[in-house]
Amino acid sequence: MGSIRKQTIISSILVYIGFFIGFINIYLYTRSGSFTPEQYGLTRIFFDFAQNMYAFGALGVIPLIYKFYPYYKDNLEEHKIDLMTWALFTSFIGFLLVVFLGFYFEKVFIKTFTAKSQLVVDYYFWMIPFAVGMLFFSVIEGFCWALHKSIISNFLKETFMRAITSVFILLFYFRVIDFSLFIKLFAFQYLMIFIVLLVYLIRAGKLYFPLVISRVTKKFWKKMLGMQLLTFGGTCIASVAATIDVFIIAGFQNLTAVGIFVFAQYAANLIQVPQRSIQAVSAGVLSRAWKDKDYKEINRIYQRSCINLLLMSLFIFGNLWLNVQQGIDVLNIQKQYSEGMGVLLILGMVRIIDAGTGLNALVINTSTFWRFDFYSGVVLLAFRLPLTYFLIKNYGIIGSAAAELAAYSIYNFIRFEFLRRKFNMQPFNMKTLYSLLLAVGAYAACYFLLNDIHGWPGIILRGVLFSAAMIGGIFYWNLTPDAGQLYHNFLKRIDGLRGRNQRDG
């Protein structure tokens, strides 16, 4: 787990830098006198529209890259690996599909959103270059995962792209550009980072496009095609399930409600940063372990991911929920966004459940039982769609959060049970319970002792006390072996620096 831990830490740092930049962006989006909630909501529609178009346009090719790359690497010289040739050719076909679908669904969008969300109609076609950029970047990002070079792709997607967004936001904020030009610049961000990553991999000598069909492709193409077809269906299902709420909210209510929902969703998504980092780092490692039939290593990664991600999610959400309302007041964020606090609470629970069940989806996807992910996705969509529609129609944005909690709880339970029954992998123990009790106890102590202290002093004191209680409890009860290993590695580096300074002196 050492290399995974190291890359995860670096990736997480880069991602959190990106989230810090993203926090500044959200602040500028939501501050009084800046973007309206309706304008902010439109930027979220861009992402969710692109997410669905990318899921359809990728044609299921991305999991094939990190699943089968070890077979290519073990049997071919690097310049003869034709995996990316066929992956990018497939994504080009997907690109044509995305453009066709974009024009085909124009009338549907006009009919659905004209009454309540006119901005979606006004800027509909600018979503297409945004979606195409996400598609091409995601394909090449999958190759980075296979190469164990997730740090550079994470930096571009999570940090660099948010920095680009910051520039565009500031140009609008200071009235250098109007909203129309802001959206047009916004639409080309993914294409920009795709070009940067493509050039990097080519110059690093890691990306080749041989046109000769390799013997590995000839041997595995039937398996790859079968996996691709099911993965395509599963990816589309997962994408629709993850994004449908925003479109239903925009249709039933308006983009202002979308903006409030997205504000709460962004705050809850902070919890997912470590999970996203460790997924990117672990994809290639798990694929290799399945190829080598190293079940002990797979089980170890699964177990460690569950306890580590649970602790990190509790740590982040505790700090967030203790301070978010006062943060809105201190930062002069528009008061409308306070209406999303109930959504944030429920979505925080969703993220904790998802993090606490670890890398179950990735473990299944990189195994020979990847078909199960498709079947579980069908169950998720069949449950999520009608529930989301009904609850949003009757209860608004809080209904969407409740639907997500119910659907993803069932979804993760199904995947947990599959791994437990099929491979006897059961990652939970008493330390899981102790972790939950520690977080509840630390939160209660901070809330009752410090909740009456307002402004920045209260935010800082509650954050410091909660963080200290969580970190102290993790070490005292030895809740994860990675904490102790990180601490000892830190001490070794300090000793090494001291020794080096003494020699230099």
Side-chain angles (χ1 to χ4, degrees):
M1 192 96 175
S3 62
I4 294 178
R5 182 171 61 240
K6 181 179 178 180
Q7 290 190 63
T8 300
I9 292 170
I10 296 172
S11 292
S12 294
I13 291 171
L14 290 174
V15 172
Y16 271 117
I17 292 171
F19 263 82
F20 176 73
I21 298 171
F23 171 78
I24 295 173
N25 292 347
I26 295 296
Y27 172 64
L28 293 174
Y29 273 132
T30 58
R31 191 178 189 275
S32 297
S34 182
F35 293 78
T36 66
E38 183 183 26
Q39 290 171 330
Y40 173 48
L42 178 65
T43 64
R44 185 68 250 174
I45 293 287
F46 263 69
F47 276 97
D48 288 350
F49 175 88
Q51 179 69 31
N52 285 298
M53 286 298 186
Y54 137 71
F56 283 94
L59 300 177
V61 76
I62 295 173
L64 293 184
I65 297 172
Y66 54 77
K67 169 66 179 175
F68 284 93
Y69 182 76
Y71 295 92
Y72 282 86
K73 185 177 180 181
D74 288 352
N75 293 281
L76 296 172
E77 297 175 46
E78 200 164 35
H79 67 279
K80 293 184 178 180
I81 295 177
D82 58 333
L83 181 60
M84 279 305 295
T85 302
W86 305 116
L88 284 177
F89 175 76
T90 302
S91 65
F92 179 75
I93 301 299
F95 155 74
L96 299 177
L97 178 64
V98 164
V99 173
F100 171 76
L101 289 173
F103 281 95
Y104 182 80
F105 282 108
E106 179 192 6
K107 292 181 180 179
V108 176
F109 267 71
I110 291 173
K111 181 180 178 180
T112 304
F113 298 111
T114 295
K116 297 291 183 73
S117 303
Q118 181 60 37
L119 282 180
V120 176
V121 178
D122 293 343
Y123 293 101
Y124 173 73
F125 283 109
W126 290 100
M127 297 183 197
I128 295 176
F130 192 81
V132 170
M134 181 183 286
L135 166 62
F136 286 134
F137 178 82
S138 299
V139 171
I140 205 166
E141 180 189 33
F143 191 60
C144 286
W145 290 15
L147 292 172
H148 300 174
K149 289 187 174 293
S150 59
I151 291 174
I152 180 65
S153 61
N154 274 343
F155 167 74
L156 289 172
K157 183 170 71 173
E158 306 288 359
T159 306
F160 183 66
M161 195 170 98
R162 286 189 172 98
I164 297 172
T165 306
S166 297
V167 174
F168 299 156
I169 291 173
L170 288 171
L171 290 174
F172 173 81
Y173 186 79
F174 291 108
R175 302 300 184 260
V176 177
I177 61 175
D178 61 11
F179 183 71
S180 178
L181 183 54
F182 167 81
I183 286 295
K184 292 168 185 176
L185 293 171
F186 187 88
F188 288 95
Q189 293 178 102
Y190 265 108
L191 283 171
M192 291 170 62
I193 63 171
F194 161 71
I195 292 170
V196 172
L197 186 57
L198 181 68
V199 171
Y200 167 80
L201 289 175
I202 292 174
R203 295 190 65 176
K206 295 296 183 182
L207 195 59
Y208 298 92
F209 302 103
L211 299 179
V212 178
I213 301 176
S214 69
R215 66 178 186 275
V216 178
T217 300
K218 291 177 181 177
K219 180 178 180 181
F220 289 108
W221 75 269
K222 289 184 180 180
K223 289 184 179 180
M224 294 170 72
L225 182 60
M227 179 180 179
Q228 183 178 354
L229 291 173
L230 273 181
T231 301
F232 171 63
T235 303
C236 292
I237 287 169
S239 178
V240 172
T243 61
I244 193 63
D245 44 10
V246 167
F247 294 103
I248 295 176
I249 292 168
F252 275 126
Q253 296 186 294
N254 48 49
L255 279 177
T256 297
V258 171
I260 294 168
F261 178 80
V262 169
F263 177 79
Q265 190 179 56
Y266 180 86
N269 286 348
L270 288 169
I271 300 168
Q272 289 186 308
V273 172
Q275 187 175 10
R276 288 158 67 174
S277 299
I278 199 171
Q279 281 177 336
V281 173
S282 301
V285 179
L286 283 169
S287 294
R288 168 65 63 181
W290 279 114
K291 178 182 179 296
D292 297 339
K293 295 182 172 53
D294 192 350
Y295 301 114
K296 184 178 179 181
E297 177 66 7
I298 296 166
N299 191 41
R300 190 171 73 92
I301 292 172
Y302 179 39
Q303 288 182 333
R304 291 280 187 93
S305 71
C306 286
I307 189 64
N308 289 342
L309 290 173
L310 175 63
L311 287 167
M312 286 186 275
S313 66
L314 293 170
F315 180 89
I316 296 167
F317 183 69
N319 274 294
L320 181 65
W321 189 244
L322 279 167
N323 295 306
V324 64
Q325 184 59 63
Q326 293 201 26
I328 289 175
D329 298 334
V330 167
L331 294 172
N332 193 30
I333 289 173
Q334 298 171 48
K335 299 301 181 185
Q336 287 172 288
Y337 290 102
S338 294
E339 299 172 17
M341 290 304 97
V343 174
L344 172 57
L345 177 62
I346 297 174
L347 290 182
M349 295 178 187
V350 176
R351 304 296 182 260
I352 290 170
I353 291 170
D354 202 45
T357 50
L359 300 178
N360 54 19
L362 195 60
V363 171
I364 294 170
N365 272 330
T366 52
S367 75
T368 56
F369 296 91
W370 43 264
R371 294 177 183 84
F372 181 80
D373 194 58
F374 170 76
Y375 302 136
S376 61
V378 171
V379 173
L380 171 65
L381 188 63
F383 186 73
R384 177 92 192 272
L385 279 179
L387 187 63
T388 300
Y389 183 89
F390 173 79
L391 290 179
I392 290 176
K393 183 178 181 180
N394 290 279
Y395 301 102
I397 59 176
I398 195 73
S400 175
E404 191 167 339
L405 176 62
Y408 279 92
S409 296
I410 293 171
Y411 184 50
N412 277 291
F413 177 75
I414 290 172
R415 293 189 296 190
F416 161 78
E417 272 295 292
F418 175 79
L419 290 171
R420 185 183 69 85
R421 296 188 181 194
K422 194 72 179 179
F423 301 104
N424 197 29
M425 294 182 184
Q426 200 292 97
F428 304 123
N429 51 40
M430 288 303 296
K431 290 184 177 181
T432 307
L433 178 61
Y434 295 154
S435 300
L436 295 170
L437 293 175
L438 171 63
V440 171
Y443 176 87
C446 293
Y447 180 83
F448 288 112
L449 291 174
L450 303 173
N451 195 52
D452 292 333
I453 302 176
H454 300 288
W456 285 114
I459 291 173
I460 293 170
L461 286 172
R462 284 188 295 272
V464 169
L465 180 58
F466 181 80
S467 300
M470 285 293 295
I471 293 171
I474 289 169
F475 279 98
Y476 182 79
W477 283 294
N478 191 27
L479 296 179
T480 170
D482 283 305
Q485 291 174 17
L486 284 171
Y487 177 69
H488 289 306
N489 288 340
F490 174 75
L491 292 180
K492 285 181 181 178
R493 293 199 173 191
I494 294 295
D495 290 340
L497 288 173
R498 286 176 180 171
R500 191 178 305 162
N501 290 336
Q502 289 174 358
R503 289 193 299 270
D504 294 340

